[in-house]
Amino acid sequence: AFASPESFITSLEPYLPIVQQAGLYPSVFIAQSALETGWGRSDAVQYHNYWGIKCRAAPGFSKQTWEIYDGQYWQGKLLFQGYPDLVAGVQAYCNKINFQREYQGVNRSNRYGFIDTLARVWATDPDYAWKLQSIIQMWGLERYDKEMASDGQ
């Protein structure tokens, strides 16, 4: 477990160059990690899956989760992907967004558009984008982004 949200954020800093090289927003990466693991308290951390990436077959681990389908709350166990180390997990996170078909429509022109369009595909929680934005603002995570010149923020 992590002593504080600050120590959790600091633990992810060495992996931010991978995220930046993939053309993704480090602030979103950190916010998703925090949200999906409860600031590192989830058992998923020991499997190096900080982003709630599910799988259909081994290597995976089962854990309690919740989803919202057609406005209905569901709670139960699902299978999540396990990774041999955090580098592999971070690379899988980046590859999922960059190469899986359902993420082709993600708006990369600015962080707000990125979060809004990513959240629609990544999570069933209708408040997911708002939660990510809140974490980014509360912890000043935008400082990790090297925004594109076209980003009007």
Side-chain angles (χ1 to χ4, degrees):
F2 296 88
S4 66
E6 291 89 348
S7 66
F8 180 79
I9 292 167
T10 301
S11 77
L12 293 174
E13 288 176 352
Y15 305 95
L16 299 183
I18 298 169
V19 177
Q20 289 172 325
Q21 289 167 1
L24 304 177
Y25 291 90
S27 63
V28 178
F29 164 82
I30 295 169
Q32 281 189 277
S33 301
L35 182 58
E36 295 281 355
T37 67
W39 293 100
R41 291 187 306 267
S42 169
D43 291 343
V45 169
Q46 68 185 330
Y47 298 100
H48 312 291
N49 181 343
Y50 286 38
W51 313 277
I53 298 174
K54 295 174 186 77
C55 69
R56 289 180 173 75
F61 62 97
S62 180
K63 82 175 197 75
Q64 193 73 18
T65 189
W66 61 272
E67 304 286 340
I68 297 175
Y69 298 111
D70 297 323
Q72 298 296 315
Y73 181 86
W74 175 87
Q75 187 172 352
K77 285 196 170 210
L78 290 176
L79 192 61
F80 291 82
Q81 187 68 48
Y83 301 101
D85 54 44
L86 198 49
V87 170
V90 173
Q91 289 170 334
Y93 166 86
C94 295
N95 289 342
K96 181 177 181 74
I97 296 169
N98 282 335
F99 301 115
Q100 286 189 3
R101 175 176 285 128
E102 59 265 34
Y103 297 94
Q104 287 179 352
V106 171
N107 176 352
R108 294 163 189 262
S109 64
N110 63 71
R111 185 176 53 251
Y112 294 111
F114 181 77
I115 290 170
D116 185 52
T117 55
L118 177 71
R120 292 180 204 166
V121 188
W122 194 275
T124 60
D125 179 354
D127 295 325
Y128 196 77
W130 177 84
K131 290 174 182 178
L132 294 178
Q133 292 284 16
S134 297
I135 291 168
I136 290 168
Q137 288 179 334
M138 179 179 289
W139 295 98
L141 301 180
E142 62 277 352
R143 70 185 181 271
Y144 293 108
D145 293 340
K146 291 183 178 171
E147 301 283 5
M148 293 169 270
S150 64
D151 186 355
Q153 298 181 42

